[in-house]
Every structure is written in structure tokens, then in C-alpha cells.
Amino acid sequence: NILKLMISSYPTVVSREKLIEKIWGYDYFGDTRIVDAHIKNIRKKIKLPYIKTVKGIGYTLKKDI
């Protein structure tokens, strides 16, 4: 679901908060770093550097590899 949301939001940067709200729901009560763990796992699975971290903001997809 994270990857689907990032693809549909391309080329904008998707914040951790937006990912949590759209995927886990508005009333999610927990650490926002859960998104980082899921992004790390997605990166391992796709084995290509498609996901770019925008420090302090969120994540986006790279246009070029």
C-alpha cells in the first residue's frame, strides 16, 4: 500500500504523516518511524534505488536510476 500511494502521488514528496493517515488510519497511535521500517523492507525487496528519502519531509520516487 505504501508503494501504491507513492506511485499515485508521484512526483510529489509523501510525508510520513500522510502515509500513516492514508494507510493505518487517522486515529493511528504509535511511532511514525514505522514508515521507515516499511520503506527499508520495500527497498530490500525491489533491489533498485527507486525510493528517495527527502530529509525532514518524507519520501518520493526517483525519476532516473
Side-chain angles (χ1 to χ4, degrees), residues 1 9 15-16 20-21 24 31-32 37-39 57:
N1 290 337
S9 300
S15 69
R16 284 185 187 92
I20 288 172
E21 181 182 320
W24 285 276
D31 193 7
T32 60
H38 284 287
I39 293 289
I57 300 174

Side-chain angles (χ1 to χ4, degrees), residues 3-48:
L3 200 51
K4 278 199 294 189
L5 182 61
M6 290 179 67
I7 290 169
S8 67
S9 300
Y10 181 80
T12 59
V13 177
V14 182
S15 69
R16 284 185 187 92
E17 291 78 17
K18 182 175 180 180
L19 286 167
I20 288 172
E21 181 182 320
K22 295 290 183 182
I23 294 169
W24 285 276
Y26 182 73
D27 57 348
Y28 174 77
F29 183 74
D31 193 7
T32 60
R33 305 301 282 187
I34 187 90
V35 174
D36 300 339
H38 284 287
I39 293 289
K40 182 180 98 175
N41 291 333
I42 292 169
R43 285 177 172 153
K44 264 196 238 182
K45 287 180 183 180
I46 62 176
K47 298 180 183 170
L48 292 169

